[in-house]
Amino acid sequence: MALSNLDLLYRQVLVEYSQHPHHYGELAKRTGMGQGANASCGDRIVINVLRAETGLIAEIGWVGQGCAIHQASASMMSDLLVQHSVSEGRALIDQFLQLVRGDTVVQDGLDETVLLAGVQQFPARLPCATQPWHVMRDLLDEEKEVHHGRN
């Protein structure tokens, strides 16, 4: 079975982001921290966020382990949300989660994260793509330490 050009691009981007993650590492200074774990597949993530006094998401740092989809998703999410306000960040997170569920959404502003929409074809992989986003949404809502998922 031959892969389409879009499938090849999807795979190349996932591999690139998972092998060379962006924003990977803990932050020296943070205003909040969130964790997520999925015992069924082993994905784990710890996200640190530093909010500027202006209300912008100044920095995101994350560490974790998981499949290529999980690692790429965390990396893409971090790229997307840095330098946005908390309310803009929440809106982008909700927009992304709707996209990967298969809902019809405006994709403006989602950048390369739209490539993860293909995960909806593999329901077992949906938590891999969405876990970092759920942890970050909870973190933005709580502004403290949060724990998400099952251990």
Side-chain angles (χ1 to χ4, degrees), residues 100-118:
V100 296
R101 280 195 311 257
D103 298 344
T104 303
V105 297
V106 176
Q107 297 177 8
D108 291 343
L110 288 178
D111 299 336
E112 286 184 315
T113 64
V114 298
L115 293 173
L116 291 170

Side-chain angles (χ1 to χ4, degrees), residues 1-13 115:
M1 173 170 50
L3 293 174
S4 72
N5 287 340
L6 185 58
D7 288 335
L8 289 173
L9 176 63
Y10 168 77
R11 288 176 187 222
Q12 287 174 326
V13 170
L115 293 173

Side-chain angles (χ1 to χ4, degrees), residues 13 36 58 62 75 80 83 86 91 104-105 109 133:
V13 170
W62 64 274
S75 191
L80 183 66
Q83 298 306 312
V86 171
T104 303
V105 297
W133 299 79

Side-chain angles (χ1 to χ4, degrees), residues 27 29-33 48-60 84-87 90 136-144:
L27 299 179
K29 182 178 176 185
R30 68 177 190 228
T31 54
M33 188 270 294
N48 294 259
V49 67
L50 176 64
R51 293 187 204 186
E53 289 187 23
T54 60
L56 291 181
I57 301 166
E59 290 184 60
I60 297 172
H84 281 281
S85 70
V86 171
S87 62
R90 283 187 197 116
M136 188 65 175
R137 183 180 60 195
D138 291 348
L139 181 55
L140 292 178
D141 288 345
E142 296 295 324
E143 200 167 342
K144 59 180 180 178

Side-chain angles (χ1 to χ4, degrees), residues 74-135:
S75 191
M76 289 176 174
M77 177 197 69
S78 299
D79 280 349
L80 183 66
L81 298 181
V82 167
Q83 298 306 312
H84 281 281
S85 70
V86 171
S87 62
E88 290 169 338
R90 283 187 197 116
L92 288 167
I93 291 168
D94 290 342
Q95 190 178 356
F96 172 80
L97 293 172
Q98 291 171 2
L99 176 72
V100 296
R101 280 195 311 257
D103 298 344
T104 303
V105 297
V106 176
Q107 297 177 8
D108 291 343
L110 288 178
D111 299 336
E112 286 184 315
T113 64
V114 298
L115 293 173
L116 291 170
V119 78
Q120 66 188 269
Q121 298 173 30
F122 309 98
R125 303 308 295 271
L126 194 56
C128 303
T130 60
Q131 182 194 53
W133 299 79
H134 286 292
V135 171

